[in-house]
Amino acid sequence: MFNPFERRATEYLRDNEAFLAVVTPEPIRVHLAKAGSEKSLYDRLVVIRGTPGSGKTTIARVFETSVVSTVLRNEEAHKPLMAALDECGALQDAQPVLLAARIPLESDYREIWELPYPDDTRNALLTTLLQARTILAWKRQLDRMSGSPTNVRLVAELGSPGAQSTAGADTFENLAKTAARIEESVLRVIGALVPPPLEELAALDADYYRPFEILGSVEIQFDGGPTWLLHPLVICDDANTLHPTQFAFLQRWLIRRELKVGRWLLTRLDALRPEEAFALAHQEEQPSELPGVTVSREVIQINLQSERKDQKSAFRKMARDMANRYMRQMPMFATRKLDDFTSLLSDKPVRLTASKLESLRAKTLSEAKRLHISVDRYESILKLITDYGKKLEEDEQLALLLILLNRYATRVDQKELFGQEDPEPVRPLKIDSGLEEAARLFLLHTYERAYFFGFHDLCDASSENAEQFLRLSAILVDAIATRLIRNQGAMLSCEGQTKLLRARAEEFIKAWNFPYYEKVRLLVEVIASKCRSESLRATAWLGSGANAFGIPQEEFEQLSRKHPELANVLKYGMAYNAFTLVPKYDCQGKEWCLIELGGIACLHYGLTLKRGGFIKSTVDDVLEAIQ
Amino acid sequence: MSRPRPRWERCVMHRDGATPPFLAEWFSSPSRRVLLIGGAGFDPRSTVVAKLLSERSKASLSTLLLREHRPLSPTGLMQGAEENIKFFKDKLTDLDIRDVQIFSPNDMALTGGRQVAEIARGIQWEDYTDVVIDCSALSRGIVFPLVKSVLDHPHSPRNLHLLVIDQASLDDGIIAEPAERATTMHGFKGRLGLESSQQAAVLWLPQLVTGQQATLAKIFSGLEPKPHDICPILPFPSQDLRKPEKLITEFRNELESTWQVDPRNVIFASEANPLDLYRSILRIDDERGEVFRETGGSLVVLSPIGSKLLSLGALMASIERDFPVVYVEALTYKFTPGLEVQSFSDKKLVHLWLKGEAYENTH
């Protein structure tokens, strides 16, 4: 059965209409609207960072001119997207204002760094290829637009021969021809088995070719239709492919105010050195690698994964919209008018069976006996639970009772337990949501009761990564479809969701396939098993449980210098959502850096998806884990 | 429309035990000057050809060993490589070992292909009558540019022989930890990405291999422009006759949902005969070339990631038609020598004669 959730990346959809059918405007609004409303998206460098699958390429593609023109052609169907583009300043009076194209900076650009030429030459080749390809990509955008323009005019001062040679030509058509010629020549150099001698590069004119400095805007006319004045925008995707020195150079080059075109640089967190990736993950500004540039003023930095609280609800909104769009593509759901994914995921777990419940009750009694807790105290703790504001199921109540019995035992003097009939605890027993969570976690691990269910858990397990969300959802969608085929109700039980999600998480971890993945897996295993054993302690001292290691901040700051391999393990683990880093986390008067497991690891090892619980650790412990 | 005859339409190939006697006979004359290029790695097949040539040939033998260095190589494999090198040193007199850093230490970008092309450029090819490339223990990222360098060089020796030990199960047993992203093989970029090929109908021919979904996903994700059609290559006939079925089951998600492959678009290629795949690829390209001639042409992209023997078919096709080759290099390998490995012999040696005296009257 065709399952569009398995397809994952929207970049695989060639057709604009098919692409737009699954695109949700939420990330554009959340990440770009603010800068867009301040009109700072198209006149300076914008750097967008995110983990793989976080939606960078999708965002880039939405802004491409041919896509925008498709949106405008079918305004009614794409109203929300149109509104988002409008908020970002990509539309004005329902007309596009950008000539935008996405340029994937794939391996060709990185190959330039391996050529045996001086740095200046290599950098010139890089910018030459980028500019030539951008011109060609802009032309392709215009060609792909519905109702091709009849006339394309450059709005630039091209009177002088100097300006013409800088731009490459005097008309848009000729500009494209020059760009095609230059692209071919540069690629011949890059692709040659043995590169030509430096002298032969003179014919490329790489030093003079600088169309980004000339092209202010492009006017396009349609036959009997409107005239659009478009501002060129280059969107450099996958900049992480570049050599670090190239990346720094390109960033410096794109910051330059001489450039008249808008420019975006999209990159993964792992593009930079580990310490920079760690800092960027948490939006700390880097010390300037760019002399003479105030990064905060001249560069707009957008991080698709951030610690902001509103991000979580924005992601949920986006995920819901995205899932519903994907479901509408499946005839099985569309014909039944099942287009609300959240309503198909049950959030009411089935209580334990009578026999399991009986065994749990017996366990509480035997535990009370083992701990020398009186019958009265047992009853009073039970009353505390039944009086607790929230309505808990019987199995949850008993699991909670088990925890509270143990907490009580640790809060009284052990001698008193034998002497006095019913001593009072040093601190009164209290129930909170953390303890509720601990009870449910206990039930998961002891009785395999459902724990991961409902749309919110699914979103939390996705680590705010769209691709991960789709891949996790895919297995649930398959199961729902199977139910429909069998004429069963569409709603998927909590038990089914927990089982399927954990199985999928296990598959994901087995299929990890990125640099240092084996060491990342070792580290995840060690953190997870330690967190699980501590979370399942009888007293549930960690409340809802832990899913992180905490390293003293001062130790962590030395990490990339003292332990480069570990730094790489953390960098790649973080880039691929195996874990996230939460630096400068205050706890007990001390600063920690948390290595917090991602949603996939939490699902697989049965750990809480709630954040904040951690086990104190050291860099040495982490080093030992990856050996 | 008449098409030019494929360059290796009548390629000379020896297998099933015919290779050792052929090599013994061909290199029986002391006037032959042979350069053997092979791998100095952990692969247990590394030493077979060197042993065979040193023991059974009367020709003068020089050996160039390429030692591939990868950033995450485990100690066990390094020790295996050292043992093999010791064997070479004991057995061969005229021996040169060159190090090849497959990845750049800074950012793990691929550099091996470029380095090997440089090494090839520095060789005095005029000194030899025959060059023998033993592909058994060399990675694809090295073999492809190396073979192309030899074929492209104006003074390369008269004869170019490729040798490989046909043991698909051993190839399957060497598990690669793939690099982060897919790249085109050095020297095999073809027209991929060029403006002149933007209108071309792109056909991607991935070789399906057990456990390599992530690798193929990286290649698919890295392909620009995205392919219009995908025809997976399945090994059939193969030693395990159910292999294609197992692969279809394993890749069901990719075939059905991600790549949306039409069930008729599957290429079956003999696991033991690289010429079968070579011919199939050329035939497909010929037919597509005609169909898409008026609409921007056809562009075939190859991704040989499976058995080494099969990938030689892809190598020949890509050299002949300048097809782009996109693949994912291995950061390191996992390999546990099993019983099966101990038992292989030079009977499994396959010989492909790519250039030389055998063709001089026909080409």
Side-chain angles (χ1 to χ4, degrees):
Chain A
M1 184 188 65
F2 168 66
N3 183 346
F5 287 80
E6 293 283 7
R7 185 192 275 266
R8 309 189 309 248
T10 49
E11 65 209 75
Y12 300 159
L13 299 165
R14 300 178 62 94
D15 176 54
N16 283 344
E17 289 287 3
F19 167 71
L20 286 169
V22 295
V23 165
T24 170
E26 210 49 39
I28 298 167
R29 189 171 287 136
V30 170
H31 298 294
L32 301 179
K34 186 171 169 279
S37 64
E38 291 162 2
K39 303 209 180 305
S40 49
L41 280 179
Y42 316 114
D43 64 347
R44 66 198 79 178
L45 175 62
V46 177
V47 181
I48 301 176
R49 291 187 170 86
T51 55
S54 57
K56 295 182 296 297
T57 301
T58 305
I59 291 177
R61 200 170 155 193
V62 168
F63 280 83
E64 286 193 319
T65 308
S66 66
V67 176
V68 174
S69 80
T70 310
V71 170
L72 292 175
R73 201 180 57 215
N74 197 353
E75 286 181 25
E76 206 50 45
H78 306 302
K79 244 181 192 163
L81 195 58
M82 215 174 130
L85 287 169
D86 196 46
E87 275 181 60
C88 297
L91 296 176
Q92 216 166 48
D93 303 326
Q95 286 199 347
V97 296
L98 297 171
L99 176 55
R102 183 182 79 90
I103 308 292
L105 298 182
E106 20 67 16
S107 53
D108 286 342
Y109 298 87
R110 174 60 182 80
E111 283 272 303
I112 292 173
W113 191 253
E114 295 305 318
L115 296 170
Y117 307 134
D119 285 3
D120 286 351
T121 310
R122 292 187 291 187
N123 289 338
L125 284 172
L126 172 73
T127 53
T128 301
L129 182 61
L130 175 65
Q131 292 178 95
R133 281 196 161 161
T134 305
I135 302 268
L136 294 168
W138 284 334
K139 182 175 182 297
R140 274 198 299 278
Q141 287 301 317
L142 295 180
D143 292 344
R144 274 186 209 150
M145 272 184 357
S146 44
S148 295
T150 48
N151 187 27
V152 182
R153 194 175 68 83
L154 301 174
V155 184
E157 288 297 324
L158 292 170
S160 69
Q164 280 182 26
S165 93
T166 305
D170 53 351
T171 64
F172 194 74
E173 273 307 306
N174 289 340
L175 209 63
K177 280 182 192 155
T178 310
R181 181 181 54 78
I182 289 179
E183 183 202 32
E184 192 138 0
S185 313
V186 176
L187 286 188
R188 208 173 297 133
V189 174
I190 299 170
L193 267 175
V194 178
L198 184 60
E199 307 79 65
E200 285 182 23
L201 299 188
L204 286 176
D205 290 340
D207 293 342
Y208 304 104
Y209 183 68
R210 297 191 298 271
F212 282 10
E213 292 179 14
I214 295 284
L215 295 177
S217 26
V218 175
E219 188 183 83
I220 64 168
Q221 288 174 335
F222 295 89
D223 200 10
T227 300
W228 293 348
L229 190 65
L230 304 179
H231 178 64
L233 168 68
V234 54
I235 306 173
C236 305
D237 197 1
D238 293 331
N240 46 290
T241 317
L242 299 174
H243 186 275
T245 315
Q246 276 183 310
F247 183 85
F249 163 77
L250 186 63
Q251 215 173 336
R252 271 198 310 276
W253 187 77
L254 289 172
I255 284 177
R256 290 160 59 237
R257 289 182 191 153
E258 295 92 317
L259 302 186
K260 294 212 165 80
V261 303
R263 54 268 185 206
W264 291 4
L265 197 62
L266 276 53
T267 180
R268 276 158 36 175
L269 289 171
D270 55 358
L272 309 160
R273 291 190 293 274
E275 64 272 29
E276 292 179 346
F278 303 155
L280 284 164
H282 302 281
Q283 302 188 318
E284 291 170 18
E285 195 172 304
Q286 279 307 292
S288 177
E289 277 238 8
L290 314 161
V293 172
T294 313
V295 174
S296 57
R297 200 169 55 223
E298 308 204 22
V299 183
I300 301 287
Q301 307 230 35
I302 294 167
N303 189 357
L304 300 186
Q305 267 86 28
S306 81
E307 298 299 302
R308 282 164 38 205
K309 289 215 167 65
D310 55 346
Q311 196 96 330
K312 197 170 180 174
S313 58
F315 180 78
R316 285 177 180 174
K317 199 171 165 195
M318 180 210 77
R320 177 179 292 128
D321 187 37
M322 194 163 60
N324 294 346
R325 282 168 185 269
Y326 274 70
M327 272 179 65
R328 284 197 283 270
Q329 301 216 319
M330 300 176 75
M332 187 175 286
F333 293 102
T335 51
R336 290 172 171 84
K337 296 258 183 275
L338 294 171
D339 58 1
D340 180 15
F341 185 49
T342 54
S343 69
L344 301 181
L345 303 177
S346 167
D347 56 2
K348 292 190 174 46
V350 175
R351 213 178 52 182
L352 291 186
T353 58
S355 62
K356 282 184 179 170
L357 210 57
E358 204 41 56
S359 113
L360 180 57
R361 187 172 292 113
K363 198 176 167 89
T364 60
L365 291 168
S366 66
E367 195 71 351
K369 196 173 170 192
R370 185 180 72 80
L371 297 169
H372 303 283
I373 294 171
S374 69
V375 176
D376 288 348
R377 179 60 66 179
Y378 180 93
E379 290 300 331
S380 72
I381 295 176
L382 195 56
K383 189 165 180 315
L384 181 72
I385 295 167
T386 48
D387 290 349
Y388 177 56
K390 288 186 200 166
K391 173 95 184 86
L392 297 175
E393 293 292 338
E394 199 177 348
D395 48 4
E396 291 170 336
Q397 289 184 359
L398 290 171
L400 209 48
L401 177 61
L402 207 55
I403 294 169
L404 287 174
L405 289 172
N406 280 283
R407 282 198 168 190
Y408 169 78
T410 56
R411 290 182 191 183
V412 293
D413 189 340
Q414 295 297 303
K415 280 182 235 154
E416 284 186 33
L417 269 178
F418 293 96
Q420 216 176 309
E421 270 297 295
D422 191 19
E424 280 303 316
V426 188
R427 275 186 298 131
L429 295 174
K430 264 195 327 194
I431 306 172
D432 57 17
S433 60
L435 220 54
E436 276 180 57
E437 191 73 8
R440 290 187 196 114
L441 199 68
F442 166 79
L443 290 171
L444 167 76
H445 287 281
T446 318
Y447 296 101
E448 291 180 3
R449 185 186 190 265
Y451 182 74
F452 301 108
F453 51 79
F455 189 70
H456 287 180
D457 276 3
L458 181 60
C459 289
D460 291 349
S462 306
S463 305
E464 287 175 27
N465 184 293
E467 187 174 322
Q468 196 160 302
F469 169 79
L470 288 174
R471 293 178 72 195
L472 284 174
S473 304
I475 197 165
L476 303 181
V477 169
D478 262 345
I480 296 170
T482 308
R483 291 180 64 82
L484 291 174
I485 291 167
R486 290 179 179 165
N487 280 332
Q488 294 169 336
M491 187 180 279
L492 194 60
S493 69
C494 298
E495 292 66 36
Q497 292 175 54
T498 303
K499 208 169 143 191
L500 290 168
L501 288 174
R502 294 193 70 189
R504 184 123 249 211
E506 187 180 356
E507 262 175 46
F508 284 176
I509 292 177
K510 271 191 191 154
W512 270 351
N513 200 301
F514 49 82
Y516 295 95
Y517 76 91
E518 289 212 314
K519 292 198 183 278
V520 169
R521 192 185 284 158
L522 283 175
L523 180 56
V524 165
E525 261 172 29
V526 168
I527 296 177
S529 57
K530 184 87 177 145
C531 286
R532 187 168 51 189
S533 65
E534 289 303 317
S535 300
L536 292 173
R537 291 259 183 197
T539 54
W541 67 277
L542 277 164
S544 56
N547 54 18
F549 261 18
I551 296 170
Q553 184 67 32
E554 66 271 21
E555 261 192 63
F556 182 79
E557 276 160 14
Q558 307 294 317
L559 188 144
S560 60
R561 193 173 51 80
K562 285 188 179 166
H563 311 286
E565 191 189 25
L566 175 59
N568 273 324
V569 173
L570 292 179
K571 179 178 99 164
Y572 283 106
M574 197 172 105
Y576 286 86
N577 291 313
F579 37 72
T580 49
L581 295 180
V582 186
K584 299 186 179 167
Y585 185 84
D586 274 320
C587 184
Q588 297 173 347
K590 204 172 166 184
E591 274 195 338
W592 304 83
C593 177
L594 305 190
I595 305 172
E596 194 176 78
L597 295 179
I600 294 295
C602 291
L603 286 178
H604 176 50
Y605 294 98
L607 300 171
T608 179
L609 292 168
K610 301 226 169 345
R611 303 178 71 177
F614 72 95
I615 310 286
K616 288 178 190 168
S617 187
T618 61
V619 168
D620 287 342
D621 291 340
V622 178
L623 276 173
E624 196 183 316
I626 64 165
Q627 295 314 315
Chain B
M1 196 185 87
S2 68
R3 304 179 189 111
R5 255 177 66 183
R7 179 173 182 178
W8 288 292
E9 187 184 36
R10 296 183 183 184
C11 182
V12 176
M13 181 170 82
H14 295 94
R15 57 177 176 164
D16 300 330
T19 304
F22 165 77
L23 293 177
E25 192 187 334
W26 184 255
F27 295 120
S28 60
S29 159
S31 64
R32 293 211 169 270
R33 299 179 311 277
V34 185
L35 174 64
L36 166 67
I37 305 178
F42 68 90
D43 195 312
R45 294 169 291 192
S46 305
T47 55
V48 175
V49 172
K51 191 166 175 244
L52 184 77
L53 287 182
S54 64
E55 286 172 0
R56 297 176 68 174
S57 113
K58 294 193 177 70
S60 85
L61 179 66
S62 304
T63 308
L64 170 65
L65 294 179
L66 301 172
R67 186 165 186 189
E68 301 178 21
H69 292 274
R70 292 179 160 77
L72 304 175
S73 300
T75 330
L77 296 190
M78 308 272 269
Q79 277 169 359
E82 290 300 334
E83 281 165 27
N84 286 337
I85 289 172
K86 187 174 178 303
F87 169 87
F88 286 122
K89 284 183 175 165
D90 292 347
K91 205 84 184 169
L92 305 166
T93 46
D94 186 0
L95 174 68
D96 184 13
I97 300 176
R98 305 286 284 274
D99 291 315
V100 178
Q101 298 294 340
I102 302 295
F103 292 93
S104 144
N106 278 319
D107 61 344
M108 295 208 205
L110 258 183
T111 54
R114 205 169 272 282
Q115 282 183 37
V116 85
E118 272 301 319
I119 291 173
R121 187 170 71 153
I123 293 173
Q124 293 295 318
W125 296 109
E126 298 88 342
D127 296 348
Y128 307 101
T129 57
D130 294 74
V131 60
V132 176
I133 299 179
D134 175 16
C135 309
S136 310
L138 287 171
S139 65
R140 281 171 202 82
I142 296 298
V143 170
F144 276 54
L146 180 61
V147 172
K148 196 172 186 185
S149 297
V150 178
L151 287 172
D152 284 359
H153 200 280
H155 305 296
S156 63
R158 272 178 88 181
N159 298 295
L160 170 62
H161 310 268
L162 295 193
L163 292 174
V164 64
I165 292 185
D166 169 25
Q167 198 160 10
S169 56
L170 181 63
D171 287 330
D172 290 348
I174 299 175
I175 312 288
E177 181 176 325
E180 204 181 357
R181 59 185 74 91
T183 45
T184 46
M185 207 166 272
H186 181 60
F188 288 82
K189 185 157 179 59
R191 287 160 48 228
L192 190 67
L194 270 177
E195 176 62 13
S196 56
S197 65
Q198 286 300 327
Q199 299 302 318
V202 180
L203 170 71
W204 180 40
L205 303 180
Q207 198 174 325
L208 299 195
V209 185
T210 307
Q212 295 293 319
Q213 285 99 326
T215 300
L216 288 170
K218 283 177 186 183
I219 297 174
F220 182 54
S221 156
L223 279 179
E224 288 281 350
K226 291 281 169 257
H228 297 80
D229 289 298
I230 300 172
C231 294
I233 300 170
L234 288 169
F236 188 81
S238 55
Q239 204 176 10
D240 172 6
L241 290 174
R242 292 203 57 201
K243 206 170 182 179
E245 291 164 33
K246 288 177 188 166
L247 285 167
I248 287 171
T249 311
E250 198 179 324
F251 281 84
R252 63 189 180 281
N253 275 342
E254 285 76 9
L255 298 173
E256 276 183 353
S257 298
T258 319
W259 304 342
Q260 291 181 291
V261 174
D262 185 316
R264 293 165 298 180
N265 288 354
V266 171
I267 300 171
F268 291 102
S270 168
E271 192 176 52
N273 185 354
L275 298 178
D276 186 28
L277 179 61
Y278 160 74
R279 289 175 187 132
S280 298
I281 295 173
L282 293 198
R283 196 174 59 245
I284 290 168
D285 184 54
D286 285 338
E287 286 168 8
R288 281 175 62 89
E290 278 185 25
V291 172
F292 295 106
R293 197 184 326 137
E294 302 303 325
T295 55
S298 158
L299 181 66
V300 176
V301 181
L302 305 176
S303 289
I305 60 166
S307 107
K308 216 162 257 178
L309 196 53
L310 212 48
S311 61
L312 292 184
L315 164 72
M316 293 159 75
S318 55
I319 286 177
E320 181 160 344
R321 297 275 168 97
D322 196 21
F323 293 140
V325 179
V326 184
Y327 81 127
V328 181
E329 187 54 82
L331 273 179
T332 183
Y333 295 104
K334 268 190 283 183
F335 173 61
T336 317
L339 282 176
E340 195 183 8
V341 172
Q342 316 299 329
S343 66
F344 69 61
S345 69
D346 53 21
K347 291 223 168 53
K348 289 191 174 280
L349 204 56
V350 177
H351 167 240
L352 282 167
W353 197 344
L354 287 197
K355 176 195 158 199
E357 292 160 54
Y359 307 103
E360 281 172 4
N361 293 329
T362 54
H363 280 213

